[in-house]
Amino acid sequence: MALQTNYLATWQRQVRAALLVGLCAGGSLAAAAQAPTVAAARVPRAYTRAAHLMGSHFTFTAVSADDSLAWRALRAGLRETGRIDRLFSYWDSTSQVVKINRSAGVRPVAVDPEVYDLIERTLKISALSGGAFDVTFASGDKIYQFDRQEHPGLPDSATVRRSVQRIGWQKVRLDPAAHSVFLPEKGMRINLAGVLQGYGVRRAAETMKKMGIAGGLINGSGDVYCWGKQADGSGWRIAIGDPARPHAVSSWLTVSDLAVVTAGNYEQYFTVGGVYYGHIINPHTGYPATGLRSVTIICPDVELADALDDAVFVLGPVDGLALINRLKGVDATVITDAGQTLVSKGMQLNSYHSAAPTAAANPKP
């Protein structure tokens, strides 16, 4: 406002000078009438900040005509995501998640309502997906190395079975009166990594919206949520990567007020006999989920989308898309190991390939 006030004061002095010159010369007031009456309106533009949070790369974008507001909102969104990272960290010894894990088989741990509520929501997703999404996956033994190399074979079946003995979302005991969480077996652990980036993005977006940012986009390493419009008034165009060609795009869509969340096994994987085994483990079997290279979920809730992409990955192309087709307001597109793109019912996708995506009526693995 100070810059605008100074501009108006300068313009007013110039008008008075022009009037004085015109009157002294016997001229008309036409020249003064041609001067502008208000300062030019400020044009919205996009402001962006990047940060390393939750072990991933985040970018925060705010669209605003007020640069001071935009930068304040970006800092607030970043701080909110950092707060969530510390509160739910699997590694920080002061986090409430670590306290729950340390007390497994010993005692319940009272936690903040925010922590209790998120864990409760994840267990509901576990029930919805038949356990394909399971925050107790951290109870499993680490028996794989996802080094992008060819391995001679998979671990023996007995080792794999033992690795998942302590996994089981049904075992988690919640006490709503005490806001406590109890893992009944020693060695059990929870890890909210499968939903935490989505939750962090959602809370950051809510913070920025409350501050008056009408348009923005937050990308937490593939967990994208956008709202409003871009600076030029257009919608947000989100690209979906091509697993067969790193840094290339397989398809895109234009969205607003939606989350677009993608999970893939083309960055953390190993191969056996040319077959890809990605880092997403089937909690029922202990083996890496197979059949899909990429899963993208589109829905208004970025937290929900973040959980569903792992669930679909574990369920596979047929059962995974069947789950999505039962959910209102949720869509998905998946890319199979064979490179085929499948979509849920009603999904509109712009493909960069000549072949159109296959509808989910009779998806083929």
Side-chain angles (χ1 to χ4, degrees):
M1 288 301 296
L3 292 175
Q4 186 175 3
T5 302
N6 291 339
Y7 175 82
L8 288 171
T10 302
W11 174 77
Q12 288 167 352
R13 288 196 297 271
Q14 292 172 341
V15 170
R16 286 196 294 269
L19 284 169
L20 181 60
V21 170
L23 290 173
C24 290
S28 70
L29 300 181
Q34 294 174 0
T37 56
V38 294
R42 288 177 293 182
V43 177
R45 58 178 288 249
Y47 301 80
T48 300
R49 284 196 64 173
H52 189 77
L53 297 161
M54 302 179 179
S56 300
H57 181 74
F58 275 68
T59 57
F60 301 77
T61 300
V63 175
S64 177
D66 184 334
D67 60 346
S68 177
L69 171 62
W71 290 121
R72 289 199 310 272
L74 289 171
R75 289 193 294 270
L78 193 153
R79 284 195 303 270
E80 176 66 2
T81 308
R83 181 191 69 82
I84 291 167
D85 189 8
R86 293 186 296 274
L87 181 63
F88 292 93
S89 173
Y90 182 72
W91 307 105
D92 188 336
S93 61
T94 65
S95 84
Q96 296 187 12
V97 168
V98 171
K99 292 177 182 177
I100 292 170
N101 292 339
R102 285 178 174 173
S103 299
V106 179
R107 66 180 66 87
V109 175
V111 297
D112 293 348
E114 181 180 8
V115 176
Y116 182 93
D117 290 345
L118 181 58
I119 293 174
E120 184 179 41
R121 291 197 300 273
T122 63
L123 296 181
K124 290 179 179 178
I125 298 298
S126 295
L128 176 70
S129 65
F133 175 84
D134 192 329
V135 292
T136 69
F137 78 91
S139 306
D141 298 330
K142 295 182 179 180
I143 59 175
Y144 303 105
Q145 186 175 2
F146 302 101
D147 54 7
R148 304 187 183 188
Q149 302 298 315
E150 173 74 14
H151 291 192
L154 295 169
D156 64 84
S157 59
T159 298
V160 175
R161 284 195 303 272
R162 285 195 302 271
S163 73
V164 295
Q165 285 180 346
R166 291 186 297 269
I167 294 177
W169 64 272
Q170 306 96 326
K171 303 175 185 178
V172 181
R173 300 178 190 172
L174 301 182
D175 184 340
H179 276 105
S180 67
V181 182
F182 181 47
L183 305 179
E185 298 178 14
K186 286 190 175 182
M188 279 192 73
R189 295 181 294 271
I190 61 171
N191 187 340
L192 296 166
V195 72
L196 196 57
Q197 287 185 174
Y199 179 60
V201 168
R202 179 166 72 81
R203 288 299 300 262
E206 290 171 353
T207 298
M208 293 169 66
K209 288 179 183 179
K210 289 178 181 177
M211 295 180 68
I213 300 300
L217 182 147
I218 303 176
N219 183 353
S221 188
D223 290 8
V224 178
Y225 177 74
C226 55
W227 69 97
K229 300 293 183 182
Q230 296 195 64
D232 62 1
S234 63
W236 299 94
R237 178 173 290 190
I238 310 299
I240 299 172
D242 186 345
R245 296 178 295 173
H247 312 298
V249 173
S250 66
S251 54
W252 59 271
L253 62 163
T254 301
V255 297
S256 183
D257 302 300
L258 282 175
V260 181
V261 174
T262 298
N265 70 356
Y266 45 88
E267 292 182 350
Q268 299 181 56
Y269 65 88
F270 64 89
T271 59
V272 175
V275 177
Y276 279 82
Y277 293 93
H279 69 288
I280 299 175
I281 304 296
N282 185 329
H284 298 304
T285 67
Y287 288 99
T290 58
L292 293 172
R293 298 295 309 282
S294 172
V295 173
T296 299
I297 306 293
I298 301 94
C299 75
D301 188 339
V302 63
E303 176 191 314
L304 175 63
D306 197 13
L308 286 176
D309 63 357
D310 286 347
V312 172
F313 228 109
V314 170
L315 290 169
V318 176
D319 292 339
L321 285 175
L323 169 65
I324 297 302
N325 286 332
R326 294 197 303 268
L327 303 178
K328 185 178 180 180
V330 180
D331 279 303
T333 176
V334 304
I335 300 176
T336 69
D337 283 345
Q340 184 182 19
T341 298
L342 308 174
V343 295
S344 60
K345 293 186 300 185
M347 176 70 189
Q348 300 295 320
L349 195 64
N350 303 290
S351 177
Y352 280 115
H353 303 306
S354 57
T358 302
N362 293 295
K364 300 177 182 179

